[in-house]
């Protein structure tokens, strides 16, 4: 077999993490992107900067803060324990929370750009036809910005697959639960098992290239549309 | 490096009170960070040489050395990697020695949690047990051997979380995310005492000794700063510092 059983387990976990994160970010990121695209509030700048922070912060910083805040002495940890969920570090859902923060700008920014590109006119036109705000959003804004959503979804998914530092900080390297493919590769390299590292790394390389190829090859259609 | 020598020499001549001060660039295993900083400060005062250190996991430093990193010596967390470097002709034959022997401690950030270590492990009265990855870190390997010696390795497996190295294993416990963990005594000891939380020092016979070896690399064999540092590490001053941080020496 080309890949070992633990490799396949790590890949399956990685894909599951990326899928769940992307779905959650569609729900969480869309309202934020909509607000950022439409608002004239003075909070637009600060919120936009907050959303973009994970782009520039080292994952070690994000991971460290998550570890501390989600721990028993941190505010998030206190809440999750009070709710009976327990502590999030070392769990799959802890990784999901980390990934949602980590990949947030990759969802919000393309969707926000798409919303901004629509401009006011189609929405105003819909309003004069007595479309409710909800109706305007779902019947006008959403279809017009669909390409932005596709881009955002692919980027978010791919970026979460490539996540390493945050998972390393809060995951605890538990097989099948928090040991994702990137961590598995790191372990191989550290253990001097370069052959195994090469095989899994090649799979990730090809996968990432194909995902981006889909994104870039698909872009011209968007311009025609 | 050789091309820099005249320049370094010029600098050293300009510095008062030093004779032929050189610079050493070395790589040191992360668990030895604190004692190494203390040792280097003394060494620089005593000799006038200067030492630049990169701290990292032994596996990563080894891979970097294999791929041309400009280190002149490696202080590893194990014996295997220095041995390998020697075999590969990158390490200077005969320069290898054990500079420290690590001790393992079952530790909690809670001052009352660890009173009777073996009883606590058997009772399972903790949320997680943090260890260093046994595949990568000698301290992790020793942790698993200790669990096996106590006969609790299977009962504990579901509660096991792993740091990539002993520093991360410590971090998980220190932040309270894991109630207890096996960490290096050097991480919680200062001046011969456990200064924070509570701990059970694992008796040495429960695991294979954690011998940390150092080796001079080919690029550093003619650098007096490197050879003198190795001699210094085996001297009484350095040993006193090493003991203070909870390591043993030969």
């Amino acid at each position: 077999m080309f890949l070992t059983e633990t490799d396949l387990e790590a890949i399956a976990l990685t894909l599951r993490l990326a899928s769940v994160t992307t779905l959650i970010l569609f729900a969480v990121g869309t309202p934020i992107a909509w607000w950022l695209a439409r608002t004239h509030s003075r909070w637009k700048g600060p919120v936009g900067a907050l959303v973009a922070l994970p782009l520039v912060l080292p994952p070690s910083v994000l991971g460290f803060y998550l570890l501390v805040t989600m721990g028993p002495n941190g505010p998030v940890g206190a809440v999750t324990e009070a709710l009976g969920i327990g502590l999030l570090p070392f769990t799959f859902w802890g990784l999901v929370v980390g990934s949602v923060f980590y990949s947030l700008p990759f969802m919000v920014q393309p969707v926000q750009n798409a919303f901004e590109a629509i401009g006011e006119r189609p929405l105003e036109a819909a309003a004069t036809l007595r479309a409710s705000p909800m109706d305007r959003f779902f019947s006008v804004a959403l279809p017009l910005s669909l390409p932005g959503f596709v881009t955002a979804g692919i980027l978010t998914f791919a970026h979460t697959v490539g996540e390493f530092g945050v998972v390393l900080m809060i995951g605890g390297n538990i097989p099948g639960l928090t040991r994702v493919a990137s961590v598995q590769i790191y372990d191989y390299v550290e253990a001097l098992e370069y052959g195994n590292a090469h095989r899994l790394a090649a799979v990730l390389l090809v996968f990432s290239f194909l995902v981006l190829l889909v994104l870039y090859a698909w872009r011209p259609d968007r311009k025609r549309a | 490096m050789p091309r820099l020598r005249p320049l370094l020499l010029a600098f050293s001549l300009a510095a008062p009170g030093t004779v032929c001060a050189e610079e050493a660039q070395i790589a040191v295993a992360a668990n030895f960070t604190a004692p190494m900083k203390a040792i280097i400060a003394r060494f620089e005062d005593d000799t006038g040489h200067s030492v630049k250190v990169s701290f990292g996991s032994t596996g990563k430093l080894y891979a970097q050395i294999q791929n041309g990193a400009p280190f002149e010596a490696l202080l590893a967390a194990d014996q295997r990697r220095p041995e390998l470097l020697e075999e590969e002709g990158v390490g200077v034959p005969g320069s290898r020695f054990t500079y420290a022997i690590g001790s393992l401690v079952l530790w909690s950030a809670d001052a009352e949690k660890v009173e009777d270590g073996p009883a606590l492990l058997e009772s399972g009265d903790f949320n997680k047990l943090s260890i260093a990855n046994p595949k990568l870190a000698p301290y992790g390997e020793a942790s698993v051997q200790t669990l096996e010696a106590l006969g609790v390795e299977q009962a504990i497996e579901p509660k096991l979380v792993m740091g990539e190295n002993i520093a991360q294993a410590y971090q998980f416990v220190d932040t309270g995310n894991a109630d207890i963990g096996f960490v290096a005594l050097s991480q919680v000891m200062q001046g011969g005492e456990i200064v924070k939380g509570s701990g059970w020092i694992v008796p040495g016979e429960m695991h294979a000794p954690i011998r940390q070896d150092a080796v001079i690399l080919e690029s550093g064999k003619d650098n007096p700063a490197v050879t003198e540092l190795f001699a210094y590490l085996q001297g009484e001053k350095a040993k006193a510092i090493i003991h203070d941080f909870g390591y043993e020496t030969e």
Side-chain angles (χ1 to χ4, degrees):
Chain A
M1 183 66 196
F2 180 68
L3 293 169
T4 67
E5 198 135 309
T6 49
D7 288 348
L8 296 175
E9 195 178 44
I11 289 174
L13 175 69
T14 306
L15 296 179
R16 194 156 71 92
L17 177 65
S19 310
V20 172
T21 301
T22 307
L23 286 177
I24 291 179
L25 271 176
F26 271 128
V28 175
T30 306
I32 299 176
W34 180 251
W35 183 82
L36 280 171
R38 293 271 155 257
T39 187
H40 298 291
S41 157
R42 63 196 167 98
W43 291 103
K44 178 176 175 161
V47 172
L50 264 183
V51 167
L53 258 189
L55 286 176
V56 293
L57 271 187
S60 51
V61 170
L62 198 57
F64 176 63
Y65 278 144
L66 284 169
L67 186 68
V68 173
T69 52
M70 301 198 305
N73 308 318
V76 179
V79 171
T80 53
E81 278 198 313
L83 292 174
I85 303 169
L87 294 173
L88 284 173
F90 319 130
T91 64
F92 176 75
W93 288 102
L95 292 196
V96 170
V97 171
S99 306
V100 163
F101 280 109
Y102 181 63
S103 293
L104 183 66
F106 291 82
M107 176 60 73
V108 170
Q109 292 187 347
V111 173
Q112 181 189 346
N113 289 342
F115 282 151
E116 280 169 354
I118 299 170
E120 297 290 337
R121 294 200 55 180
L123 296 169
E124 281 167 2
T128 58
L129 296 171
R130 295 200 197 158
S132 70
M134 272 297 179
D135 200 13
R136 269 177 269 160
F137 178 78
F138 283 106
S139 314
V140 180
L142 218 49
L144 281 176
S145 46
L146 195 62
F149 277 93
V150 175
T151 305
I154 292 175
L155 279 180
T156 301
F157 187 88
H159 189 242
T160 309
V161 167
E163 180 174 345
F164 171 66
V166 174
V167 175
L168 197 72
M169 294 289 281
I170 61 173
N173 203 343
I174 302 167
L177 200 62
T178 60
R179 186 187 289 163
V180 299
S182 58
V183 172
Q184 176 89 337
I185 293 172
Y186 179 83
D187 280 358
Y188 280 143
V189 174
E190 289 279 300
L192 317 183
E193 294 172 19
Y194 296 158
N196 284 330
H198 273 308
R199 280 188 284 277
L200 190 53
V203 170
L204 270 203
L205 181 74
V206 171
F207 172 80
S208 305
F209 175 74
L210 289 179
V211 166
L212 291 179
L213 186 67
V214 168
L215 183 65
Y216 284 89
W218 172 81
R219 276 205 155 165
D221 293 332
R222 182 175 138 188
K223 279 192 191 119
R224 254 179 275 142
Chain B
M1 213 46 205
R3 234 188 289 166
L4 278 175
R5 287 276 154 75
L7 193 65
L8 286 172
L9 193 63
F11 277 125
S12 62
L13 287 175
T18 58
V19 187
C20 227
E22 294 273 355
E23 186 182 274
Q25 190 165 2
I26 64 169
V28 176
N31 76 76
F32 204 63
T33 302
M36 197 61 198
K37 282 183 175 166
I39 291 168
I40 286 171
R42 291 287 289 275
F43 174 74
E44 289 180 337
D45 278 354
D46 287 355
T47 64
H49 294 308
S50 65
V51 184
K52 277 165 81 179
V53 197
S54 302
F55 296 103
S57 74
T58 303
K60 200 177 306 116
L61 294 171
Y62 171 83
Q64 287 171 348
I65 289 166
Q66 272 190 322
N67 289 288
F71 300 127
E72 295 170 295
L74 169 69
L75 273 69
D78 64 0
Q79 293 191 293
R80 191 169 134 238
R81 264 63 74 102
E83 270 170 17
L84 278 174
L85 287 170
E86 223 177 36
E87 282 166 24
E88 289 159 3
V90 184
V92 176
S95 69
R96 190 164 57 83
F97 78 102
T98 302
Y99 65 92
I101 301 166
S103 301
L104 192 66
V105 57
L106 181 71
W107 183 72
S108 170
D110 179 342
E112 275 145 35
K113 186 77 188 171
V114 185
E115 278 163 0
D116 181 345
L120 178 62
L121 289 170
E122 274 162 32
S123 72
D125 182 23
F126 50 88
N127 66 348
K128 298 278 181 205
L129 170 71
S130 164
I131 66 170
N133 191 332
K135 207 171 123 186
L136 311 179
Y139 284 93
E141 210 178 325
S143 309
V144 172
Q145 286 165 353
T146 303
L147 293 174
E148 282 167 1
L150 291 168
V152 294
E153 76 274 19
Q154 279 179 348
I156 269 171
E157 220 198 318
K159 295 190 169 186
L160 218 52
V161 293
M162 284 191 278
E164 288 313 306
N165 50 46
I166 198 70
Q168 216 193 352
Y170 171 83
Q171 188 183 75
F172 287 157
V173 185
D174 188 56
T175 56
N177 283 296
D179 284 341
I180 55 173
F182 281 110
V183 303
L185 184 57
S186 56
Q187 291 172 305
V188 294
M189 180 171 264
Q190 245 169 41
E193 265 181 62
I194 293 180
V195 287
K196 193 181 162 192
S198 55
W200 169 62
I201 298 174
V202 179
E205 64 268 17
M206 294 190 111
H207 58 79
I210 307 165
R211 301 176 76 93
Q212 305 196 188
D213 277 13
V215 66
I216 295 178
L217 305 175
E218 278 298 326
S219 58
K221 73 175 173 195
D222 298 323
N223 183 349
V226 175
T227 47
E228 281 176 41
L229 177 65
F230 266 53
Y232 198 87
L233 278 169
Q234 297 173 66
E236 289 313 312
K237 279 183 191 171
K239 279 188 179 175
I241 295 174
I242 294 172
H243 293 157
D244 256 7
F245 281 95
Y247 293 94
E248 288 170 39
T249 54
E250 293 203 299

